[in-house]
Amino acid sequence: CSVSGFEAVEDAYLVKALKPDGSKFNVKADKVILATEASAAYEIMDADEPARPPQRSVGCIYYSLSTQPPVKDPILVLNGEKEKGTLVKPINNLCFPSVVSSSYAPPGKHLCSVTILGPTMDLFRKDDGAIDEEKLDAAVRSHLVKWFPEVGGEISNRWETLKVYDVMNAQPAQFGGKYSANFNGGRKAKELLGVELPENVVVCGDHQ
């Protein structure tokens, strides 16, 4: 379902929504939490969208493994090497979500999540703009083997590539804009683009 807007009615809000078949329906709610991409938030709030801030892009590869992960702790592993963001060493950070919670992978499996920053993803971009997933996958595996040589054979031959994601608008750049993140001295928590939000309405998102 999708939401097209909402309006105040007596002591509550009437949220206007659409079913996948196009039929309309309403939901009455005491509070409204709007957690969407920036453009959708401005449209639903009927606010004029400001000049779009620069966007940060990112890539992510997910792997499935049948053996124990090389990292046993529920931590985020950061690339602390001098060389990073290259064709040879593309990884920015990685983690094993299934170490945090077994529900992130089927029984007997583990999940590995590898993050590659946007400028590095561009090194693997073909003439048509798409990512050369085979080339990226090979480079990431080679980098992983350098980090975890004790399981290098498993990484190279047994880890299954589940999906490659190329997220163009992963996060808006927060510095230097008129409405930067609240943590960086940006908007007040109860305002959107300098306009006070209605009572019991919250707008969430990196754009905030």
Side-chain angles (χ1 to χ4, degrees):
C1 298
S2 60
V3 173
S4 59
F6 64 92
E7 62 181 26
V9 289
E10 299 178 353
D11 58 346
Y13 290 99
L14 195 64
V15 180
K16 304 173 183 179
L18 292 172
K19 294 181 180 179
D21 62 7
S23 58
K24 300 178 180 179
F25 68 101
N26 297 326
V27 176
K28 193 174 182 179
D30 294 328
K31 299 180 180 180
V32 174
I33 300 175
L34 192 58
T36 70
E37 195 264 343
S39 295
Y42 299 142
E43 181 178 350
I44 292 174
M45 292 298 298
D46 195 26
D48 293 330
E49 182 173 0
R52 189 176 182 85
Q55 300 291 303
R56 299 190 185 279
S57 59
V58 72
C60 187
I61 302 183
Y62 287 99
Y63 294 101
S64 172
L65 45 151
S66 301
T67 55
Q68 289 297 310
V71 177
K72 304 299 190 295
D73 298 314
I75 59 175
L76 182 69
V77 181
L78 303 177
N79 185 348
E81 301 172 292
K82 289 184 178 180
E83 179 186 351
K84 62 179 69 175
T86 66
L87 288 169
V88 178
K89 295 185 176 181
I91 298 174
N92 184 74
N93 60 266
L94 66 85
C95 65
F96 294 87
S98 53
V99 174
V100 178
S101 173
S102 60
S103 63
Y104 284 115
K109 299 282 188 178
H110 276 282
L111 179 67
C112 176
S113 172
V114 178
T115 297
I116 307 97
L117 298 184
T120 310
M121 290 289 286
D122 290 340
L123 300 177
F124 296 89
R125 207 170 291 283
K126 297 183 289 188
D127 291 340
D128 63 359
I131 294 296
D132 187 331
E133 295 187 2
E134 184 176 344
K135 184 178 179 181
L136 176 63
D137 181 35
V140 168
R141 286 177 187 265
S142 177
H143 197 180
L144 286 168
V145 169
K146 291 183 175 69
W147 281 8
F148 309 111
E150 69 279 7
V151 291
E154 296 173 3
I155 293 171
S156 298
N157 303 308
R158 297 184 61 188
W159 285 22
E160 177 189 357
T161 305
L162 296 177
K163 184 73 175 177
V164 176
Y165 290 94
D166 181 22
V167 186
M168 299 306 296
N169 297 318
Q171 185 183 42
Q174 298 286 13
F175 295 101
K178 183 177 180 181
Y179 299 102
S180 55
N182 195 44
F183 181 79
N184 294 318
R187 74 162 186 98
K188 296 179 180 179
K190 294 184 179 181
E191 293 183 359
L192 177 65
L193 302 180
V195 178
E196 187 173 353
L197 293 168
E199 186 178 1
N200 292 327
V201 174
V202 177
V203 178
C204 309
D206 291 329
H207 57 90
Q208 287 298 88

